[in-house]
Amino acid sequence: MTGSASENPFRPLFQLIDAIVEQYLAFFIQPFLKVHEQIYSELNRVLRAALDNNKDTIPAWFTANFITYVRTVLVIPCLVLLSWGQMVLPSIIVVAVDFGDFLDGVVARYWVDVRAEASAKVTTDSKDSDDDSFEVVSSRSSRRISSWQVSHQNKSYGGFIDAVCDKAFVVPCWIFLLSRVPGTGMAFVQYVVLFCLILAETASGSIRFRAYYSSGGVPAPTVKGLDFSSSAVKVRQ
């Protein structure tokens, strides 16, 4: 017996599991992912064209965050309907929430492009203007300038709240489904799967919160031979 085999006797088992998972992903999951990508690419094109064609009628409050808040609130009627023993309507709500998760991304990219076009237009107008005069406005009132961390949080708020609201919808549904596991021979497996999903999403949400509120807002500088990623500067080996 070799030294590596004696140190890790389960390595052949892990390699077998890894090979089975790779085959499963290649033959069963990958074809569905291709179809999924084609459908959502076409859906993205149609929705973006609809937004561009109705640019003058889209209200300013119709933002990605608004869609995120609305689809998160739908967890309440979904849980109520599940408690009444309904299955069809909660399923429709889940599909609608999934569509909303896709739509808020399309809307977010739309507003980014709209603001970029408006900014470019203002820049072009200022360059074309022959008026070189300027006005200095002074005020005795104090001005509040946001820190880099607050500025970074404001910019990344959309992605943060989108991910957190996803978990705020699915985790309560999974917790409720624990009470609906049928008393069959597969009950233990269903409990394990639901608990793993709940714990994974809860841990992921906690990491999102910590990363969002602890980020300094400025990336660590890159210097050859030095590591600035922590509070104590270290020499890279």
Side-chain angles (χ1 to χ4, degrees), residues 204-224:
S204 176
S206 300
I207 293 173
R208 285 275 188 170
F209 266 98
R210 186 179 185 278
Y212 179 75
Y213 286 104
S214 62
S215 174
V218 179
T222 302
V223 179
K224 185 177 180 180

Side-chain angles (χ1 to χ4, degrees), residues 56-194:
D56 297 333
T57 60
I58 297 177
W61 51 262
F62 187 72
T63 63
N65 289 343
F66 172 78
I67 298 173
T68 300
Y69 298 145
V70 170
R71 64 183 176 86
T72 305
V73 171
L74 290 178
V75 68
I76 298 175
C78 184
L79 293 175
V80 171
L81 290 170
L82 286 174
S83 66
W84 292 346
Q86 299 291 327
M87 293 297 175
V88 176
L89 290 178
S91 300
I92 294 175
I93 292 176
V94 171
V95 174
V97 169
D98 179 71
F99 175 75
D101 188 23
F102 173 77
L103 179 62
D104 61 16
V106 178
V107 173
R109 291 187 292 271
Y110 164 77
W111 283 114
V112 168
D113 293 341
V114 168
R115 295 188 185 97
E117 291 177 3
S119 178
K121 183 178 180 181
V122 171
T123 303
T124 303
D125 293 342
S126 62
K127 289 182 179 180
D128 295 338
S129 176
D130 295 331
D131 187 6
D132 294 334
S133 62
F134 60 91
E135 181 181 2
V136 177
V137 178
S138 62
S139 175
R140 294 184 178 180
S141 60
S142 59
R143 296 179 59 189
R144 182 176 182 180
I145 301 176
S146 299
S147 65
W148 285 339
Q149 181 175 2
V150 173
S151 178
H152 173 73
Q153 289 178 351
N154 292 336
K155 292 179 181 179
S156 60
Y157 177 77
F160 162 74
I161 201 65
D162 178 70
V164 171
C165 285
D166 288 342
K167 306 174 194 315
F169 180 88
V170 297
V171 170
C173 292
W174 287 336
I175 292 175
F176 180 85
L177 290 178
L178 287 172
S179 65
R180 291 294 188 270
V181 174
T184 62
M186 297 295 294
F188 176 76
V189 176
Q190 296 180 53
Y191 278 121
V192 170
V193 170
L194 286 173

